[in-house]
Amino acid sequence: MAEFVQYYGTGRRKSAIARVFLRPGSGKFTVNGKQFEEYFVTPAQRVAAKTPFGIPEINETFDVFTTVKGGGVNGQADAVKLGIARALMEFNIELRKALKAGGMVTRDARGKERKKYGQKGARARFQFSKR
């Protein structure tokens, strides 16, 4: 029986989490069962999600299957980017240097700052009145 080959990577950004599966294939890209262009509407989101495939060291084509949850669509696109980069490193660790140079290996740790007590929000205060 032929062995089923797939490479897995998890990507996170803000509160979005992406599970990315790369399988050798024709280059089909699905996100939560939808076509890539259908799910990521703006060109910026599409470019962000497909950035890892832009490095010239990748000689193979992959089918990409992702499930994304949480956050907004822009955060999800960045989560998919990190997931693809991690899956590519699982496929070939030699790609790490090129991905790292492109800034695709590091997880962006910025998230929502918590609301503080005695204040309206994380930084915003209640309106001050002298009297």
Side-chain angles (χ1 to χ4, degrees), residues 82-95:
L82 181 61
I84 291 171
R86 286 181 174 173
L88 284 170
M89 286 189 298
E90 190 178 301
F91 160 67
N92 182 1
I93 196 66
E94 307 292 317
L95 296 173

Side-chain angles (χ1 to χ4, degrees), residues 89-107:
M89 286 189 298
E90 190 178 301
F91 160 67
N92 182 1
I93 196 66
E94 307 292 317
L95 296 173
R96 181 177 172 87
K97 194 171 184 180
L99 290 166
K100 184 99 175 152
M104 292 173 253
V105 178
T106 311
R107 190 230 196 265

Side-chain angles (χ1 to χ4, degrees), residues 10-123:
T10 305
R12 294 183 195 86
R13 171 77 171 97
K14 292 187 176 180
S15 60
I17 302 168
R19 295 168 46 214
V20 179
F21 299 93
L22 297 182
R23 299 174 188 155
S26 59
K28 193 171 74 172
F29 203 128
T30 56
V31 183
N32 291 351
K34 293 182 180 178
Q35 290 298 317
F36 177 75
E37 288 79 18
E38 209 177 305
Y39 195 86
F40 294 121
V41 184
T42 66
Q45 292 166 351
R46 292 176 186 167
V47 168
K50 282 196 173 180
T51 307
F53 290 123
I55 62 169
E57 286 82 356
I58 302 169
N59 300 336
E60 292 191 36
T61 56
F62 294 98
D63 288 340
V64 183
F65 298 94
T66 65
T67 54
V68 192
K69 60 182 178 185
V73 186
N74 284 321
Q76 288 179 350
D78 284 341
V80 168
K81 174 174 76 171
L82 181 61
I84 291 171
R86 286 181 174 173
L88 284 170
M89 286 189 298
E90 190 178 301
F91 160 67
N92 182 1
I93 196 66
E94 307 292 317
L95 296 173
R96 181 177 172 87
K97 194 171 184 180
L99 290 166
K100 184 99 175 152
M104 292 173 253
V105 178
T106 311
R107 190 230 196 265
D108 191 347
R110 294 176 296 169
K112 189 171 191 275
E113 191 175 332
R114 69 173 286 268
K115 180 198 174 297
K116 277 56 161 215
Y117 56 86
Q119 292 181 198
K120 197 171 185 172
R123 303 267 173 108

